[in-house]
Amino acid sequence: MTDLEESPAVRRLDDWNLPRLESLAEEYDTPLYVIDLDRVKANYTRFAAAFPDAEVMYAAKAHTGKAVLEAVLEAGGEIECAAWGELQRSIDAGADPNELQYTAVNPPDHDLDYAVDLADEAPGLTITIGATDTLDRLAERGYDGRIAIRINPGIGTGHHEKVATGADAKFGIPYEQVPEVADRVREEFDLVGLHAHAGSGVLTDGLEEHCRAIERVGEMARRVGDADLEFVDVGGGYGVPYREDEAPLDLEKTSEMVREAVGDLEATLKLEPGRYVVADAGLILTEVNTIKEAPDATVVGVDASLATLIRPAMFGSYHPMLNVTAPDRESIEATVGGPVCTSADVFAHDRPLARPERCDIVAIGNAGSYGYELASQFHSQPRPAEVALEDGEDRVVRRRETLEDVTRVEQ
């Protein structure tokens, strides 16, 4: 595992071995996802070390690749899942199902069937509910096991309104209804914890608002009796700096503020970092295929698209970019986009970039989180390969799809 003293709090694109990245693009073709498993383990270990008396679970939805889940488990982590497929993939990666936590959000029948069947074999599985309707559906299935209640704290935080879950009625039991729901759960199930998640992508300057939500969770825990709970889970949402001039999350300050906000608890504190663990451990390599001088922009066409990385189109997200082939060329203002027929298929507008030429390799950074997870086959584009780096070696952990893979389910 990477020595934390040699592992910076954030990994910028300049910190990657650029000749090696270029050789990976040549060997495995582009577009190509690259995930550094040593960095995954270092990030998890650094976060866990900041909360030594807490239980730190990795939020699998950020990157559910088997190699990543295995790396988290190797680092001593447990896993929080948001769907039945994540539960199964965690088990396939070696997780003990008795240590998994399933956060059910409007769960389809198949998800609940799977979770209840799994709990029959692994009674340590925890199901987190965000609606009393879910309790009814679990009871109908004969489930009377471990339940955590997801609270809606009424405060949302994060990098975009679409991820500010703490203020979204879709997520969690309304705050003032929690005591009544807790009484019901104690009668019919095994109430083991409370849970909340305020939002995603929180950096140091957003901690105050984030901790206001956590403070409400701690207050509710004491109100319903934290001495009778195993844990109070304040979720994840801890961010990484996507922009080059943003500072990394101050983990020491984060730990102090979270602990102060949640207050004195007899229950164990839980946290669920996802993005923090994997975002800067991954990037995309893409090849330049077109240079076009337009009246208002220099357009740089690449073979990656919104089907490869949808975050810029979905959230307006900024991802750092670097000309791997020639980082020292003079810089130009470039508009970088892919081959999909929509104006949304643009990674950057007027971005300073070392002047690209056809066949150059460009890296798109911070793609380890919600990158491959949201990749699609739009325009009948097979999804890219993913290569993992670990202990100085590289290996394919997801092969490049073919058109046969795209059409396989057609009848």
Side-chain angles (χ1 to χ4, degrees):
M1 187 182 301
T2 302
D3 187 340
L4 286 183
E5 294 182 358
E6 300 176 359
S7 176
V10 60
R11 189 181 201 182
R12 312 286 187 180
L13 278 178
D14 288 340
D15 296 325
W16 290 76
N17 183 325
L18 301 190
R20 187 178 189 192
L21 292 180
E22 194 164 26
S23 70
L24 291 174
E26 181 178 355
E27 180 175 358
Y28 298 108
D29 204 1
T30 57
L32 179 69
Y33 269 91
V34 179
I35 185 76
D36 186 337
L37 301 179
D38 294 322
R39 181 67 183 173
V40 170
K41 288 179 275 190
N43 285 344
Y44 175 86
T45 301
R46 184 188 312 101
F47 190 96
F51 294 90
D53 55 349
E55 185 175 338
V56 177
M57 308 184 78
Y58 168 64
K61 59 182 175 291
H63 190 305
T64 323
K66 185 178 181 182
V68 167
L69 297 178
E70 289 174 339
V72 169
L73 293 169
E74 182 182 332
E78 296 178 3
I79 300 174
E80 180 270 336
C81 304
W84 80 273
E86 292 179 8
L87 287 168
Q88 184 60 60
R89 291 175 75 177
S90 298
I91 294 168
D92 291 344
D96 181 350
N98 286 291
E99 296 177 349
L100 293 176
Q101 188 165 310
Y102 166 47
T103 306
V105 180
N106 300 335
D109 285 344
H110 178 275
D111 283 46
L112 288 187
D113 292 341
Y114 177 93
V116 170
D117 289 345
L118 180 60
D120 285 341
E121 303 173 6
L125 174 73
T126 300
I127 299 179
T128 303
I129 61 97
T132 54
D133 194 60
T134 305
L135 290 176
D136 297 336
R137 297 165 67 202
L138 287 169
E140 290 168 0
R141 288 163 169 77
Y143 181 78
D144 60 1
R146 294 167 57 86
I147 291 288
I149 299 172
R150 181 167 184 170
I151 302 170
N152 185 313
I155 299 172
T157 60
H159 68 88
H160 194 281
E161 62 182 11
K162 293 181 180 178
V163 299
T165 54
D168 189 333
K170 175 181 175 180
F171 300 96
I173 302 292
Y175 192 79
E176 290 302 326
Q177 296 178 20
V178 172
E180 180 182 352
V181 175
D183 288 341
R184 177 188 169 183
V185 172
R186 285 188 169 113
E187 291 176 1
E188 301 179 32
F189 306 89
D190 181 13
L191 178 62
V192 296
L194 297 183
H195 171 280
H197 179 73
S200 184
V202 176
L203 291 173
T204 306
D205 59 4
L207 282 173
E208 187 172 339
E209 188 74 0
H210 186 73
C211 285
R212 283 184 57 229
I214 291 175
E215 184 176 355
R216 286 174 63 80
V217 178
E219 290 172 353
M220 183 56 71
R222 287 180 287 275
R223 189 168 160 187
V224 303
D226 63 293
D228 297 327
L229 301 175
E230 286 184 18
F231 64 84
V232 174
D233 185 342
V234 296
Y238 304 98
V240 298
Y242 282 67
R243 293 182 181 271
E244 293 86 347
D245 59 354
E246 289 179 322
L249 180 69
D250 185 334
L251 270 183
E252 182 177 353
K253 182 176 182 180
T254 300
S255 178
E256 292 174 357
M257 290 182 65
V258 168
R259 274 297 181 189
E260 182 178 353
V262 77
D264 292 332
L265 291 174
E266 295 190 43
T268 297
L269 176 67
K270 274 192 177 185
L271 301 101
E272 301 171 2
R275 184 188 310 274
Y276 184 91
V277 176
V278 292
D280 73 356
L283 54 73
I284 296 167
L285 298 176
T286 182
E287 183 177 270
V288 175
N289 55 49
T290 302
I291 306 292
K292 179 169 62 175
E293 296 294 341
D296 298 324
T298 297
V299 178
V300 178
V302 296
D303 59 4
S305 72
L306 61 77
T308 314
L309 178 71
I310 200 172
R311 294 189 73 254
M314 180 180 289
F315 300 121
S317 300
Y318 180 100
H319 283 262
M321 304 183 74
L322 179 70
N323 187 333
V324 172
T325 302
D328 297 325
R329 284 196 200 126
E330 73 278 11
S331 179
I332 66 167
E333 301 287 314
T335 294
V336 183
V340 168
C341 293
T342 170
S343 297
D345 186 28
V346 175
F347 296 112
H349 290 278
D350 302 322
R351 179 77 62 83
L353 191 66
R355 181 177 51 80
E357 297 179 357
R358 198 147 29 98
C359 298
D360 282 354
I361 301 300
V362 171
I364 304 174
N366 280 359
S369 174
Y370 305 103
Y372 206 107
E373 291 301 306
L374 294 173
S376 74
Q377 298 170 333
F378 186 46
H379 266 5
S380 295
Q381 294 188 86
R383 282 174 292 197
E386 183 177 33
V387 169
L389 309 179
E390 188 174 27
D391 297 329
E393 303 293 330
D394 56 76
R395 69 182 190 275
V396 175
V397 291
R398 276 193 257 224
R399 66 167 174 81
R400 187 174 302 280
E401 288 185 340
T402 65
L403 186 59
E404 183 180 1
D405 293 313
V406 175
T407 60
R408 189 183 305 278
V409 296
E410 294 181 354
Q411 298 184 19

